[in-house]
Structure formats: C-alpha cells, structure tokens
Amino acid sequence: MASKTILRVCSDIRCMKVRGATNIACTALQVIKGARNKKELTEMIALLMKTRPTEPLMRNGLRYVAYNVQQNFDFKKSLNFWADRYMTMSKFALERIAEIGAKRIVNKARIMTHCHATTVASILAKAKEQYKDFEVYVCETRPRLQGRITAKELAGYGIKVSYIIDSAKQTYINDMDLVLVGADALTAEGNIINKVGTSELAILAREADVDFGVAAELLKFDPITARGHPEPIEERDPGEVWDKPPKGVKVRNPAFDLTKRDLIDFIVTEEGVLSPHNILSTAYEKYPWLRR
Ligand code: RI2
C-alpha cells in the first residue's frame, strides 16, 4: 500500500510542481529513502517510473539504487548510501558542467536559450561570477512558460536578460553568438531530447550560422536507446494549451522534441565538451553500470 508521501510526490512531478530533470531526479531519490523494506522500495520505484516518461536522469538513478541495494544486508543504511551516492554524482556532474561550460561564454556574447535548464543557468551564473559581461535572450516556452523561471533566475544574478515570445526566435537569431539549451535525454545516436521548440531553434541557429550547444549530464544518457528503443516523448494534457477548445478542434501538447545530432555543435558534459558522436562511448566509460 503506497504511502501518502509517495503519492503526493508523484502527483507533484506529474503536474510539474516539481519540474526539470535534475529536480525531479533529486526529489525521487530523496523520497525512496523512506522505504522500509525491499517490497516498499520496489512499489515506490514503480510509481515514480510512471510519472513522466522522458526522464532518464530519474530512471537511471532509481535503477542504480534498486540494483545496488539488493546486494546489501542492512537495508536502510544501504538505501541511504546508494541514493545519496547517486545524488552526489549528479551534483558533481552539474558543478563540472558549470565550470567547463562557463569557458564557452565569451565577453560581450549574446546567447539565446529555451525553457529552464539547471545546467544552462549554472553555466551562466558561473560566467557571471567570472565578471563576464553578456546578454541572454530567453524564449517564453509555451505552454508552461518556464522561460520566466530562467529570466527571473538570470536577472537575479545580475545578467542582462531579454524575454521573447517563442515565435520571435527567428527575429533575433541573427544577433546571437550562441544558442545554449539543456536536455532531458541524450540518445545512443547522439541526438538530444529537450523542451518542445528546441529542434526549431537548432534549425534556425544552423541557418543563421550560430553555434548550437547543449549542456547535459551524461547521467541523462538513456540506455534504452542503445537497445533499439526510441526515447519516449511525453504528451501532456491538452488543457495546458487550450482549456476549452471549440468542438471539432483537437489540441496536441508534446512536452519535448528531438534535435538531431547534425544540428548540434557541442555538448557540455561532466567529462568535457563532446561531439554528439561521442556521447554513447563516453557515457558507458564514465558510468559502466548504465550498460546493465
Ligand atoms: P535540468 C525541462 O523540462 C526542460 O526540457 C529542460 O531543458 C530540462 O527539463 C532541464 O532539466 P520540464 O521538466 O537542466 O520543464 O533542470 O518539462 O536537469
């Protein structure tokens, strides 16, 4: 029987009260620490796995804990140990990405971003700490307007921010030096899955000859994509787009889209700046347990 806490956390993730791959993974790993035995842990993991389909950072973490905890005798101690260990790996990866990515932010740069990504925000915060002067164009990101979270956070760091509606991307792309986005999933082919609208931004960047960079932890690599499965793309409630559409109008609401590797100039990871072609080998080298 699932406890109220796990049901509340699952509902918070589904309705996006808790959102963003890093936050979701961390919240999930934290809540499973409440399991009292293996059976409860298995039930909790099954519920969390069903919350949002495009979340390999969470799925990898839950699988990592489930696999390792099995082999230990003191259940509680071992559960805390493995959950904390995954969260530490994720935190360390984020810190490395901030340090490495900040080097790609040059003085006076104009950068466009989409949605809210912890990785991108950390890179820009680090570059600002290094006294770099740059400006960020933030796309609104319909329908949930996560661009506002980014705009507010960056402005709080003292970064110059311009906030634009999604359809104004093309208007400003020629003024940009760099497009930098996060990712929810990295695939075996070197493609990335990120907030819907990202692939359009990549196409615009290519056309305008602006570098298109991604910042993502290798822990977001989804091993199912190496076994022939496509990364699932979440389709959310149409009411987020139009609550009462007229009769006969079907509203579609995909949360993410896939950006092809050929449109990606570089991916900032905890192992350095990589070409999309090296994602699979580097992810398996860094985290061999992802192969299981
Ligand atoms: P962190 C978001 O999805 C965006 O797609 C964004 O790029 C990604 O999660 C960021 O993940 P949503 O949860 O960089 O707002 O925070 O649908 O790990």
Side-chain angles (χ1 to χ4, degrees):
M1 178 67 169
S3 76
K4 274 192 187 147
T5 314
I6 181 74
L7 293 178
R8 182 185 39 78
V9 167
C10 287
S11 149
D12 287 352
I13 295 174
R14 255 191 306 270
C15 75
M16 292 176 66
K17 197 166 164 189
V18 173
R19 58 143 299 278
T22 307
N23 277 335
I24 291 172
C26 197
T27 305
L29 272 279
Q30 203 56 50
V31 73
I32 58 167
K33 284 164 137 192
R36 287 167 299 183
N37 50 48
K38 192 75 215 312
K39 185 170 168 288
E40 267 187 21
L41 177 65
T42 310
E43 283 168 7
M44 282 183 170
I45 290 180
L47 289 170
L48 287 161
M49 290 280 197
K50 279 190 256 167
T51 51
R52 293 191 72 192
T54 320
E55 292 299 343
L57 184 65
M58 171 178 72
R59 279 205 300 273
N60 288 337
L62 295 175
R63 270 199 299 263
Y64 176 80
V65 172
Y67 180 87
N68 286 299
V69 161
Q70 265 171 8
Q71 301 172 11
N72 286 279
F73 185 61
D74 183 339
F75 176 78
K76 256 331 225 187
K77 206 169 153 189
S78 134
L79 175 58
N80 283 333
F81 174 82
W82 291 106
D84 285 344
R85 194 166 156 147
Y86 188 80
M87 284 190 277
T88 305
M89 272 193 276
S90 163
K91 190 168 163 270
F92 178 74
L94 188 62
E95 284 166 11
R96 287 289 297 145
I97 287 172
E99 277 163 32
I100 297 166
K103 296 183 185 139
R104 300 297 287 240
I105 310 298
V106 297
N107 214 23
K108 302 284 174 208
R110 276 171 302 183
I111 303 149
M112 191 176 282
T113 192
H114 187 58
C115 198
H116 174 272
T118 315
T119 49
V120 173
S122 307
I123 288 173
L124 298 174
K126 179 64 79 181
K128 185 69 190 172
E129 254 173 55
Q130 297 166 350
Y131 302 104
K132 288 179 187 167
D133 177 30
F134 56 93
E135 181 172 1
V136 183
Y137 276 60
V138 179
C139 300
E140 182 167 52
T141 319
R142 278 267 295 151
R144 297 295 299 250
L145 310 180
Q146 292 97 320
R148 292 188 187 176
I149 304 173
T150 305
K152 198 171 162 201
E153 183 177 345
L154 299 186
Y157 300 138
I159 295 169
K160 279 182 249 163
V161 176
S162 292
Y163 181 77
I164 60 170
I165 57 170
D166 297 318
S167 32
K169 292 197 276 272
Q170 202 273 337
T171 306
Y172 297 108
I173 194 74
N174 286 295
D175 301 335
M176 297 298 128
D177 301 294
L178 173 68
V179 172
L180 189 62
V181 295
D184 292 84
L186 304 173
T187 78
E189 303 92 329
N191 304 325
I192 65 132
I193 316 289
N194 193 45
K195 183 55 55 189
V196 66
T198 301
S199 61
E200 183 194 1
L201 188 49
I203 292 165
L204 292 175
R206 177 56 52 92
E207 194 190 58
D209 202 18
V210 173
D211 269 2
F212 182 89
V214 177
E217 304 87 330
L218 290 168
L219 289 167
K220 288 177 179 166
F221 172 73
D222 197 338
I224 65 164
T225 62
R227 293 182 209 123
H229 301 282
E231 180 65 25
I233 305 263
E234 176 184 9
E235 183 152 354
R236 295 185 58 81
D237 182 353
E240 289 183 343
V241 177
W242 196 352
D243 54 353
K244 287 188 189 120
K247 205 165 168 254
V249 175
K250 182 178 174 184
V251 177
R252 304 290 305 265
N253 185 18
F256 305 103
D257 65 18
L258 180 145
T259 303
K260 292 244 179 226
R261 65 180 178 196
D262 295 347
L263 294 171
I264 301 169
D265 292 293
F266 62 87
I267 305 184
V268 183
T269 74
E270 60 274 41
E271 286 295 276
V273 177
L274 302 180
S275 143
H277 297 84
N278 294 330
I279 288 296
L280 172 76
S281 55
T282 318
Y284 279 161
E285 210 171 292
K286 172 80 178 162
Y287 306 112
W289 48 267
L290 280 173
R291 282 180 188 274
R292 288 198 290 256

